[in-house]
C-alpha cells in the first residue's frame, strides 16, 4: 500500500492552533506509517522505536536492516541502475520536474513529518521542501547540458577528434543526518540519479519517516522503485556495509565520522564527498545596517535551533557599532516565540535529543564558570518540550572555554568586538573549520573583496546562509575540516560521474608512416609543435 496522500489530508490527530499547539499530543495514522516503513529493505524482524522530540510520544517502529539486507539492496539497485543509465535525458528531466510539483503540492504533509520527527519550527521545516523543489528543478533543467559529451582539441588539429563523456559511477551510497531529514535525505541523491546512478540511502535513525516519504515521492514522480533503496540501522553496521559496497559515498555529518568514512573510501579507492562540521563566523562591519544585521543574525544563529551545519556560532562586530548592535540583537532574541508543535507561530523549536541539550548546556556552563557573560538564555526548558534549550548569547568567551573553537550545534552564539577588519578576518579564520561565513556591510564591493580572504566554502553577504544554499547553481561545501567535494551546481552532478576521453584518429597515425624513420618522425613532430605554439594553440 503506497503512502500517497493525494488530498494532502491531515496526518496527525491534535490541534494546530497556537494556544494549544505546544502541549498537544500528536499521533500519525498507523496505516500511513506502515506504508512508509514497508519501504525499508529489512528482513531481520527487528525494529527500533522512534519518538517525537515534541512530546516524547512514539511515532513509529522502524524495521532494521541486516547485512544480508544491505547486500540485497545493492543487488537490486545495480540491476535498476543498468536500465536507468540507458534512459534518455528527457525521461530523467520529466521525472525530476514532476517531483518538483509533487513536493510543492504535498508540502504540508512533508512539513508535518519533519516537525514531528525533528522538533524544529514549521517555518524552518518549510526550507526543506523548498530546497528539494529547487534541486529537482535545477537538475531537471540542466542535466542534459552538464552530462552532454564535450568536444576537446586533439593533438593534431583536424586529424584528432576528442570526445569527453560523463559516465555514471554505478550505485551511490548516501548517508544523511537528522537535522534536515527531508532535504539531506534527497538533495544529494537527486543529483546522483540525474547523472544515471542508483542510490542506496541510510538516513539517520531519528528521522527515518521524512526520508521514507521522500523515497515514496520519487516513485510517484516516475523513478523506478528499485533505483532508490533505503536501509536502516546503526552506522557501525549498516553505514560500514554501504561503504564496503558502493561505487561512491556521499556523507553529511560530523567531522569525526567523516574522517572514518574517508578512510573507508580510500581503502577501496572510491571517491567520496563529505559535508562536515563548522564553527561558522559572521562579520558585522562598521558600515553595516544594524537593524538588518541584527535580524539576519537571529536567523543565522537560531534557525532549526542552531542545529544546522552552516549556522553562525561566532559573531565579530566592529567596535564602532558593537553596543548598538548587541542591544538590537539581544532584544530580537528575547522576542522570539518559543515552543514545540506544528504551528507557524513558533520562531524556534526544540532540539532533537537529550544529547544536543547536554552539549549546549555543557558549553554554556563551562563558559560562564570561566568568566563569560550570559546576555540572555542559557537554560534548558523542559516545560516547553523535553529537549528544549533557550536561545543563548554569550559575551567574553576566551580560548580556554569549550565553546570557543568547538562546534555546539545548538542555539548558542559568542559575540566579539574587533577594531580593524584585518584582525576580524584573522580571527574568523581561526580553528580547523571552513564551511560557511556571513558578512554584513552596506558596501557590497568591499564585502566581496573581504570574502576572498575568508576560509569558508560559502560566504553570504547581507544574509545568513540562505542566499548560497538556495542558489542551486552555486557550489556548496567546506574547506579544511569542514569537508571535501561540493553539492549543487555542475560540481554536484559531475561528482557522480567518471570522465571518459574518447579519441578518434583520422588519416595519419601517431607514428612513422610512408617509410618515414623514427628520427624523421621526431623531427617533423618537433616542427609541428613549434608551429602550433606560434599559432597560439594550447
Amino acid at each position: 500500500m503506497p503512502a500517497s496522500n493525494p488530498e494532502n489530508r491531515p496526518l496527525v490527530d491534535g490541534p494546530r492552533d497556537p494556544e494549544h499547539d505546544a502541549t498537544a499530543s500528536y499521533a500519525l495514522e498507523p496505516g500511513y506509517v506502515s506504508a512508509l516503513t514497508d519501504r525499508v529493505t529489512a528482513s531481520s524482524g527487528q525494529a527500533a522505536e522512534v519518538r517525537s522530540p515534541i512530546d516524547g510520544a512514539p511515532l513509529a517502529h522502524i524495521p532494521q536492516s541486516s547485512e544480508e539486507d544491505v547486500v540485497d539492496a545493492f543487488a537490486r539497485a545495480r540491476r535498476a541502475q543498468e536500465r536507468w543509465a540507458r534512459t534518455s535525458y528527457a525521461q530523467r528531466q520529466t521525472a525530476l520536474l514532476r517531483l518538483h510539483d509533487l513536493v510543492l503540492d504535498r508540502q504540508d504533509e512533508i512539513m508535518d513529518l519533519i516537525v514531528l520527527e525533528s522538533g524544529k519550527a514549521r517555518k524552518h521545516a518549510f526550507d526543506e521542501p523548498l530546497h528539494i523543489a529547487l534541486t529537482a528543478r535545477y537538475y531537471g533543467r540542466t542535466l542534459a547540458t552538464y552530462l552532454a559529451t564535450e568536444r576537446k582539441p586533439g593533438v593534431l588539429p583536424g586529424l584528432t577528434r576528442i570526445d569527453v563523456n560523463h559516465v555514471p559511477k554505478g550505485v551511490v551510497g548516501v548517508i544523511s543526518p537528522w537535522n534536515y531529514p527531508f532535504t539531506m535525505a534527497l538533495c544529494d541523491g537527486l543529483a546522483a540519479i540525474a547523472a544515471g546512478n542508483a542510490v542506496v540511502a541510510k538516513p539517520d535513525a531519528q528521522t527515518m519517516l521524512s526520508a521514507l516519504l521522500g523515497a515514496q515521492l520519487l516513485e510517484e514522480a516516475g523513478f523506478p522503485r528499485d533505483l532508490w533503496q533505503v536501509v536502516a540501522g546503526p552506522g557501525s553496521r549498516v553505514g560500514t556495509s554501504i561503504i564496503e559496497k558502493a561505487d561512491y559515498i556521499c556523507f553529511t555529518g560530523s567531522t569525526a565520522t567523516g574522517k572514518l568514512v574517508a578512510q573507508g573510501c580510500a581503502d577501496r579507492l572510491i571517491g567520496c564527498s563529505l559535508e562536515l562540521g563548522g564553527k561558522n563566523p559572521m562579520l558585522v562591519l562598521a558600515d553595516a545596517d544594524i537593524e538588518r544585521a541584527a535580524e539576519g543574525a537571529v536567523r543565522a544563529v537560531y534557525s532549526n535551533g542552531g542545529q544546522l551545519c552552516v549556522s553562525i556560532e561566532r559573531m565579530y562586530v566592529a567596535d564602532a557599532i558593537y553596543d548598538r548592535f548587541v542591544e538590537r540583537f539581544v532584544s530580537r532574541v528575547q522576542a522570539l516565540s518559543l515552543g514545540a508543535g506544528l504551528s507557524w507561530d513558533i520562531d524556534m523549536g526544540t532540539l532533537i535529543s537529550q544529547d544536543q541539550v547536554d552539549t549546549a548546556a555543557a558549553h554554556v556552563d563551562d563558559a560562564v564558570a570561566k568568566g563569560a557573560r550570559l546576555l540572555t538564555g542559557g537554560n534548558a526548558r523542559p516545560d516547553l518540550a523535553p529537549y528544549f534549550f533557550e536561545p543563548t548569547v554569550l559575551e567574553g568567551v576566551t580560548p580556554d572555554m569549550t565553546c570557543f573553537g568547538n562546534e555546539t550545534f545548538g542555539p548558542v552564539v559568542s559575540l566579539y568586538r574587533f577594531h580593524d577588519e584585518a584582525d576580524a578576518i584573522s580571527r574568523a579564520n581561526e580553528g580547523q573549520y571552513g564551511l560557511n561565513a556571513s558578512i554584513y556591510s552596506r558596501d557590497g564591493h568591499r564585502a566581496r573583496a573581504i570574502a576572498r580572504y575568508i576560509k569558508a566554502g560559502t560566504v553570504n553577504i547581507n544574509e545568513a546562509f540562505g542566499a548560497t544554499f538556495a542558489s542551486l547553481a552555486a557550489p556548496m561545501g567546506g574547506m579544511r575540516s569542514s569537508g571535501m567535494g561540493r553539492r549543487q551546481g555542475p560540481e554536484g552532478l559531475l561528482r557522480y560521474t567518471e570522465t571518459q576521453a574518447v579519441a578518434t584518429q583520422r588519416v595519419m597515425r601517431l607514428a612513422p608512416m610512408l617509410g618515414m624513420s623514427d628520427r624523421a618522425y621526431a623531427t617533423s613532430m618537433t616542427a609541428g609543435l613549434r608551429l602550433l605554439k606560434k599559432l597560439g594553440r594550447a
Side-chain angles (χ1 to χ4, degrees):
M1 169 182 164
S4 61
N5 190 22
E7 299 176 0
N8 203 19
R9 66 183 185 274
L11 303 177
V12 297
D13 296 321
R16 293 175 186 241
D17 61 286
E19 291 184 6
H20 302 94
D21 206 31
T23 57
S25 178
Y26 302 99
L28 290 166
E29 296 176 358
Y32 181 82
V33 172
S34 63
L36 290 177
T37 57
D38 283 348
R39 302 193 66 85
V40 180
T41 302
S43 60
S44 69
Q46 299 178 340
E49 185 180 66
V50 175
R51 290 177 174 268
S52 175
I54 290 178
D55 55 9
L59 280 178
H61 288 82
I62 307 296
Q64 300 296 284
S65 305
S66 64
E67 170 64 21
E68 292 74 20
D69 292 322
V70 180
V71 170
D72 180 53
F74 270 92
R76 285 192 280 160
R78 290 201 183 280
R79 290 192 295 270
Q81 190 274 329
E82 290 176 2
R83 297 187 295 271
W84 180 250
R86 294 192 290 269
T87 59
S88 68
Y89 294 156
Q91 183 175 339
R92 300 181 205 173
Q93 175 187 30
T94 297
L96 285 165
L97 296 180
R98 189 179 296 123
L99 178 66
H100 171 278
D101 293 343
L102 274 172
V103 168
L104 294 181
D105 291 344
R106 305 269 286 279
Q107 61 182 278
D108 283 337
E109 174 188 354
I110 295 166
M111 287 187 288
D112 280 354
L113 278 185
I114 292 169
V115 174
L116 291 173
E117 284 196 304
S118 72
K120 67 176 65 177
R122 193 174 191 84
K123 66 197 303 183
H124 300 145
F126 172 70
D127 293 345
E128 302 201 43
L130 171 66
H131 186 252
I132 291 304
L134 288 169
T135 302
R137 176 161 53 86
Y138 176 76
Y139 286 120
R141 296 297 190 202
T142 62
L143 71 88
T145 299
Y146 294 153
L147 297 175
T149 296
E150 302 173 67
R151 287 287 298 273
K152 300 292 183 181
V155 60
L156 297 177
L159 301 179
T160 309
R161 168 177 170 156
I162 296 294
D163 295 283
V164 176
N165 299 323
H166 301 289
V167 181
K169 286 184 177 288
V171 179
V172 173
V174 176
I175 303 174
S176 59
W178 50 261
N179 60 325
Y180 277 73
F182 186 75
T183 194
M184 290 293 101
L186 289 183
C187 68
D188 293 305
L190 285 183
I193 58 178
N197 300 280
V199 166
V200 174
K202 192 201 91 63
D204 189 273
Q206 298 170 98
T207 52
M208 287 289 300
L209 295 178
S210 299
L212 290 168
L213 175 57
Q216 171 63 39
L217 293 175
L218 286 170
E219 185 179 354
E220 291 185 28
F223 294 99
R225 176 164 181 155
D226 283 353
L227 193 68
W228 189 284
Q229 299 288 320
V230 181
V231 292
S236 58
R237 183 182 74 238
V238 176
T240 300
S241 184
I242 289 174
I243 295 169
E244 292 170 348
K245 298 171 180 61
D247 301 306
Y248 187 91
I249 293 291
C250 179
F251 172 80
T252 304
S254 71
T255 296
T257 304
K259 290 179 179 179
L260 297 176
V261 172
Q263 290 171 9
C265 292
D267 287 342
R268 295 191 55 233
L269 295 179
I270 64 170
C272 63
S273 55
L274 312 170
E275 194 221 277
L276 308 176
K279 190 72 178 176
N280 306 303
M282 174 184 285
L283 277 61
V284 184
L285 306 187
D287 68 340
D289 180 322
I290 292 176
E291 202 62 41
R292 181 175 182 180
E295 184 277 331
V298 170
R299 286 186 290 109
V301 177
Y302 303 114
S303 290
N304 195 23
Q307 300 169 123
L308 171 60
C309 55
V310 293
S311 67
I312 298 298
E313 294 195 9
R314 300 179 288 151
M315 293 173 53
Y316 300 95
V317 184
D319 184 69
I321 63 168
Y322 182 88
D323 292 333
R324 287 178 290 155
F325 172 82
V326 170
E327 187 277 326
R328 294 305 306 137
F329 175 59
V330 172
S331 176
R332 283 181 171 271
V333 173
Q334 293 172 337
L336 290 173
S337 171
L338 310 180
L342 297 172
S343 169
W344 283 100
D345 297 322
I346 295 170
D347 292 324
M348 195 189 91
T350 178
L351 305 187
I352 195 170
S353 68
Q354 189 61 46
D355 285 345
Q356 298 304 117
V357 175
D358 291 345
T359 298
H363 282 200
V364 172
D365 292 347
D366 171 77
V368 172
K370 293 175 180 176
R373 294 174 295 281
L374 188 62
L375 301 187
T376 191
N379 299 302
R381 291 288 303 276
D383 56 307
L384 296 176
Y387 311 129
F388 205 100
F389 196 87
E390 292 177 329
T392 301
V393 182
L394 292 170
E395 192 178 50
V397 171
T398 55
D400 63 320
M401 300 174 187
T402 304
C403 69
F404 181 83
N406 294 297
E407 184 180 28
T408 305
F409 214 64
V412 180
V413 68
S414 304
L415 305 183
Y416 306 88
R417 294 177 185 264
F418 73 83
H419 299 284
D420 66 82
E421 291 171 359
D423 175 56
I425 293 169
S426 177
R427 292 163 72 185
N429 287 334
E430 288 179 344
Q432 63 174 319
Y433 296 114
L435 188 56
N436 179 54
S438 177
I439 302 172
Y440 274 80
S441 170
R442 296 178 193 268
D443 186 340
H445 178 77
R446 190 164 110 265
R448 286 188 292 274
I450 290 173
R452 294 182 63 87
Y453 297 99
I454 301 294
K455 294 178 181 177
T458 56
V459 181
N460 290 265
I461 294 170
N462 294 328
E463 173 54 40
F465 54 80
T468 52
F469 201 78
S471 299
L472 268 293
M476 187 268 169
M479 298 180 182
R480 303 192 288 183
S481 292
S482 287
M484 54 190 289
R486 295 292 183 268
R487 66 164 54 98
Q488 304 187 170
E491 297 94 331
L493 185 74
L494 296 178
R495 61 180 162 162
Y496 298 122
T497 65
E498 298 285 5
T499 303
Q500 179 192 61
V502 179
T504 304
Q505 189 63 28
R506 302 186 181 98
V507 183
M508 64 175 290
R509 62 182 182 238
L510 293 178
M513 56 186 298
L514 301 176
M516 181 182 292
S517 68
D518 288 334
R519 183 171 184 174
Y521 173 74
T523 299
S524 66
M525 288 297 290
T526 299
L529 292 178
R530 296 188 189 281
L531 176 61
L532 289 173
K533 183 194 173 192
K534 288 183 179 180
L535 295 175
R537 290 276 299 196

